[in-house]
Amino acid sequence: MASNKTKQAITEVTNLLKDGVPLPLEILYSRCNCNSDALAGALSSLIEKEEIRIGRAKSGGSWFIGENVLAPPARGETWHTGRGQMRKVLPKLLKVIRKYTPPEEAAPTDNETSAQLDSVRKVLEDGQPRSKADIIAATGLENLDSLVWRYFPQLPDGRFTMPDSDGAWDFLLTYLHEKPRRLSDLLRQFRRHKKIVERIAAENDQTPLVRLPQSLITTVNSPAGRDELTRRAKIKACRDMLETLPTPFFDPREAGLGMKEFAALADSYSLTVSFENNKYWCLRREFPGDVLVEQLGEISGRYFAPPYTTSAPSFLREHSLGEKEAAAVLGVDEDTLSFLIKTGQLDSFTLDERTRLWHSDVQELKRDVSRLRVLTKQHEKLKISQAAAFLGISTGQVRRLIQEGRLTTVSNKEASGSDTGLLLRRDLEALRQALPALTLSGGQPHERGQGEIGSRGEERLRPKKKPLRKEQGQAPVEDLVLDDFQIEAAEALQAGLSVIVSAPTGNGKTLVAEMLARDVMTAGLGMIYTSPLKALSNQKYRDFKKLFGEEQVGLVTGDVSINPGAPMLIMTTEIFRNWCLSEPAQLEKISYVVFDEIHYLDDAERGTTWEESILFAPPHVKILGLSATVPNADEMADWISSVRGGNVVVIMEKKRRVPLSTQWILPNGRIVGEKEARSELEELVEYLKALRNKKRWLEE
């Protein structure tokens, strides 16, 4: 049963989202007059009712909340609309909400601390922010309790103030005048100033604040603010001009519109349209019918009976068809329709960058059945098996004709399988006349022999050539985007906690250890990376040496010792266990130990090595455990926490980034994918069907 506060939060969230515009989570929280617990309950309830959807920027930035509509607008976010997906991300949303929740600092109860609090409050009552040194000088109290400092909000420059004081507001204006600030940062920095948060999170500008694109805020007197107000004035003038244009079709330059301002309004007020490569814009608002058809006739050469009143986009859509609709009316595929458009058999234009055909032209061609048959026959496409039956040769011989350049394949958007090459029937008809004079590349005539099916099968099963390997220098460089579990692990490690990461093989667990190593060595401390096998230790040594440099990485195994004084050491788990028992001084500067394949803890023969390593490692050493096969990671974390103390964070990632796939093996030993294997079977079936249709083709 939802509490009254939760019910109130549900109502407020629904009202904020009723316009259909998604809001960033931090903005929603700031505008919603409720606490974090009430908002969490409201989101949970709305998720169960499937009344909201949750999105996140593809770059991993802000979370967005919106109404659960069928077609969310394209804003560059990835959206979750199912209950299961939204339940999964809800804890992450609650974590963000806590960042923007003002800490509730209770007033001290003991007399001494209360007296200190009153002294500091009297100093700050005038509303002016002061530094810690100024407060100590004004109160004469040098050893102020930490509870006192936490009780007062701290500004981004480090000074303390009373909540929503005039000094805090003046600082905000100066802070924004220096340069525009991101709204999410301001909400977090001023979260204890409720009135200030309400003003900066308001939907409209709150004088003297000005909202900029990309969720930035500045003041009216700043250079950025003046530029924004000037831009808005120009856009308003452009909007007024668009609303007074006398005709629906226009060219922005000829109409005297500023292109920069028009670009900001183009999608809301107009659509692009092209007739014979002449580009125009057409307004979305309605015009008298005679004005519309007269101008349309001048720019397109098409004349229509004028309606009473309508908009240009609606009129064009009413008298035209999209490519799929036109193809369905004519009974042809879209590729054949494209051929009819390119050859000028059908007149077309583009509306909003999409090709459309005049309805009257399509209907006229549909009625002329003989002409349509002749035109489509020129562009009819046959599969290789059908072409073989049409020519009276084998599919292998057809492929050799293609390799020799005597036949050219064309692509088919709708074709499936590995063999997507098709052949135009008009090319086959031209080749059929000269076919008896042609010979195979091996000197054999293009005729069917008695053993054709066997030779055809051998040809079909011949291994394909592998593509040439690209040089390493040609590999494209892509920005590294961390997964959510990698980000969570990095945050927990930066907080100095022990962490267990369980993720499928190939998901990037080692990258977590690499980020930890970089942070540890930057802080001047050391780290040990353990693995269950010497071979794996040698491999990790080579990998980390390339990454951090030869001087920064060392290797210690039972057989070899290389650079044992390095800040990052690679070793087997047995070596680390021995150091913990006999040489603990070696671990004084070690801050973290990484246990790769930590699931060996459950191994019947070697598990004691991992258990003793965890038990006897020095108390100051934190643990990072990596594994792909830990079904009971929570139990393992509880045990480690009980024997070593402190919190152990468990991070689970179940989605496999490197998917498993099923492969098929052909009789000749070649391994192929399912599509290619099925294509081989389908080709044989189609070849047999094509043989039955050969008589019809020859009669045509």
Side-chain angles (χ1 to χ4, degrees), residues 222-235:
S222 68
R226 290 193 293 268
D227 291 344
E228 174 64 14
L229 295 178
T230 301
R231 185 184 73 87
R232 293 181 185 179
K234 291 181 179 179
I235 289 178

Side-chain angles (χ1 to χ4, degrees), residues 120 122-135 138 149 155 157-161:
V120 176
K122 289 179 182 179
V123 172
L124 297 177
E125 278 181 350
D126 60 359
Q128 296 304 311
R130 287 178 173 80
S131 66
K132 184 179 289 189
D134 292 340
I135 293 174
W149 295 118
L155 298 174
D157 65 352
R159 293 183 297 166
F160 294 86
T161 182

Side-chain angles (χ1 to χ4, degrees), residues 29 97-105 190-194:
Y29 179 36
I97 291 174
R98 286 194 291 270
K99 289 172 54 179
Y100 298 95
T101 302
E104 298 181 1
E105 299 293 344
F190 290 86
R191 64 186 186 275
R192 296 182 64 181
H193 302 270
K194 185 176 181 180

Side-chain angles (χ1 to χ4, degrees), residues 56-125:
R56 192 177 192 184
K58 292 182 179 178
S59 59
S62 299
W63 290 91
F64 291 85
I65 308 296
E67 286 186 303
N68 198 1
V69 295
L70 292 177
R75 296 166 45 96
E77 296 106 14
T78 301
W79 288 97
H80 303 299
T81 56
R83 271 192 304 230
Q85 293 176 320
M86 292 190 287
R87 284 184 193 136
K88 186 176 180 181
V89 301
L90 181 60
K92 299 178 182 178
L93 267 63
L94 302 183
K95 184 177 180 181
V96 173
I97 291 174
R98 286 194 291 270
K99 289 172 54 179
Y100 298 95
T101 302
E104 298 181 1
E105 299 293 344
T109 55
D110 61 282
N111 295 334
E112 182 179 354
T113 307
S114 298
Q116 292 178 353
L117 183 65
D118 292 339
S119 299
V120 176
R121 186 184 289 114
K122 289 179 182 179
V123 172
L124 297 177
E125 278 181 350

Side-chain angles (χ1 to χ4, degrees), residues 179-405:
K179 67 175 185 180
R181 309 288 178 172
R182 192 166 297 279
L183 176 59
S184 57
D185 294 336
L186 294 175
L187 293 174
R188 177 174 48 81
Q189 293 166 345
F190 290 86
R191 64 186 186 275
R192 296 182 64 181
H193 302 270
K194 185 176 181 180
K195 294 180 180 179
I196 293 178
V197 166
E198 289 177 356
R199 297 187 68 174
I200 62 180
E203 185 174 358
N204 300 317
D205 290 344
Q206 299 289 308
T207 305
L209 304 180
V210 177
R211 291 183 175 277
L212 303 178
Q214 300 179 350
S215 298
L216 295 174
I217 292 185
T218 187
T219 62
V220 295
N221 297 321
S222 68
R226 290 193 293 268
D227 291 344
E228 174 64 14
L229 295 178
T230 301
R231 185 184 73 87
R232 293 181 185 179
K234 291 181 179 179
I235 289 178
K236 184 180 183 302
C238 181
R239 183 184 294 110
D240 294 341
M241 189 175 297
L242 286 172
E243 292 175 350
T244 57
L245 286 177
T247 55
F249 299 95
F250 66 98
D251 186 320
R253 292 183 177 85
E254 294 179 0
L257 299 171
M259 294 306 296
K260 188 175 182 180
E261 291 74 31
F262 174 67
L265 300 173
D267 290 341
S268 301
Y269 281 82
S270 64
L271 291 176
T272 59
V273 59
S274 296
F275 301 104
E276 297 181 354
N277 297 324
N278 294 321
K279 187 174 183 180
Y280 303 90
W281 278 258
C282 59
L283 291 170
R284 297 178 184 268
R285 63 186 173 91
E286 294 188 341
F287 284 84
D290 55 346
V291 173
L292 189 152
V293 297
E294 181 179 355
Q295 189 187 18
L296 180 60
E298 293 175 355
I299 63 178
S300 69
R302 294 271 176 165
Y303 295 90
F304 301 89
Y308 178 73
T309 180
T310 187
S311 67
S314 297
F315 186 83
L316 291 173
R317 290 192 180 100
E318 181 182 351
H319 290 82
S320 64
L321 297 171
E323 289 185 280
K324 289 186 177 180
E325 295 173 289
V329 170
L330 294 174
V332 299
D333 58 37
E334 292 185 47
D335 203 33
T336 301
L337 184 69
S338 298
F339 167 73
L340 297 176
I341 295 173
K342 289 180 181 179
T343 55
Q345 304 299 330
L346 285 173
D347 191 12
S348 66
F349 66 96
T350 62
L351 178 64
D352 196 21
E353 307 299 332
R354 296 180 180 178
T355 302
R356 298 190 68 84
L357 298 95
W358 296 108
H359 190 276
S360 57
D361 290 356
V362 175
Q363 291 297 333
E364 181 182 354
L365 182 58
K366 180 184 178 182
R367 287 191 294 268
D368 194 345
V369 178
S370 59
R371 176 170 169 249
L372 177 60
R373 181 184 179 89
V374 171
L375 293 175
T376 54
K377 185 177 177 181
Q378 294 178 10
H379 199 65
E380 184 181 359
K381 300 182 185 69
L382 301 179
K383 296 182 179 180
I384 290 179
S385 56
Q386 295 171 322
F390 183 83
L391 295 174
I393 60 178
S394 70
T395 56
Q397 290 170 327
V398 173
R399 287 195 178 96
R400 282 197 288 273
L401 288 172
I402 295 172
Q403 293 173 358
E404 294 168 4

Side-chain angles (χ1 to χ4, degrees), residues 461-464 663-672:
L461 299 176
R462 181 179 298 170
K464 296 182 178 180
Q663 300 293 322
W664 294 49
I665 184 168
L666 299 181
N668 68 344
R670 187 160 63 94
I671 298 176
V672 298

